[in-house]
Amino acid sequence: MKRLFLSLMLLGSALPASAAEVLTTIKPIGFIAAAITRDISTPEVLLPSGASPHDFALRPSDIRRIESADLVVWVGPDLEQFMVKPLAGKSNTLTLLDIPGLPLHRFSEEDSHEHDHDHDAGAHEAHGHDHDDGDHDEHDHDHHAGGIDPHIWLGPNLAVPIAKAIVERLSAIDPANQARYQANLARFEQELALKDKQVASMMEPVKKQGYFVFHEAYGYWERHYGMQAKGHFTVSPERRPGAKTLVAIRKALEEQQARCVFAEPQFKPDVIESVARNTGAKVLIQDETGGDLAVGPDAYIQWMDNMAKGFAACQ
């Protein structure tokens, strides 16, 4: 009996430690988390493929998933306003916008630059600064003017600080796997550095091409790789583009100031296709939310490659 008891004890000690259950709001953050939990667990993602955090509504089943997770990782209220109430008072959360020293961009910096250096009314309109009645609402003002750009996963230079913050929280929740989290972080840093060089090379010819994007989401990517869109249809997807914006973009396309217009699969491209029709500009798809990529340890690197190929198609 003693031998049997000892054997069971030894068997129990050899079993792998129970890993922490991680839930992220959006796929790209899930990609980064999955790189950290490689061979330990696979994070779950709250939003289904094709859903936008800008207008998502939680279901009762989503609330249960939030309640049961050991760690909930979200960007912050600037992006996922629907998470504010469910996460109120909870300690098992990681708010990425609160990471100390994260190099965040505020929309107002770009707006200020445009107002200081671009006095042409048409150019203002092409950047989404028209003042038609009904074009502005309180949410858009708060989200854009003076607000933080929450699309932080689009900055490859922000991916490592995000990964480090996830490692820190998981190591505290799941100390038995701390060494493995640290090893996975080192691997992610190496793979990211290699892919970053490859993407930088792919983006070189794109710098010379003019293009418009559907909404103002790509600033971190563009700054990191030295790119700059000619403008955007809307500052936020739930805001319909204003008439002056559409006229200004149409004029820019007719004058061949831009070669491409990027739509997004989450939103109907009708207005983009209408504006670009018969101008010679290509309408392309760019999916900053991860598309159909499955969450896995190599997914963020694959997502970067997909983003790079999407932009590189504008030639």
Side-chain angles (χ1 to χ4, degrees), residues 158-188:
L158 279 70
V160 169
I162 290 171
K164 287 181 177 178
I166 293 172
V167 168
E168 182 178 351
R169 290 300 302 274
L170 284 178
S171 296
I173 296 170
D174 180 22
N177 284 309
Q178 181 177 3
R180 299 172 74 182
Y181 294 135
Q182 290 288 351
N184 287 339
L185 173 62
R187 175 172 177 171
F188 180 61

Side-chain angles (χ1 to χ4, degrees), residues 126-142:
H127 282 280
H129 294 283
D130 44 89
H131 301 280
D132 292 358
D133 291 341
D135 270 2
H136 287 279
D137 60 25
E138 183 177 354
H139 173 82
D140 290 332
H141 177 79
D142 292 343

Side-chain angles (χ1 to χ4, degrees), residues 8 30 35 41 105 140 234 255 260 265:
L8 290 173
S41 65
H105 163 73
D140 290 332
T234 178
E255 294 174 353
C260 308

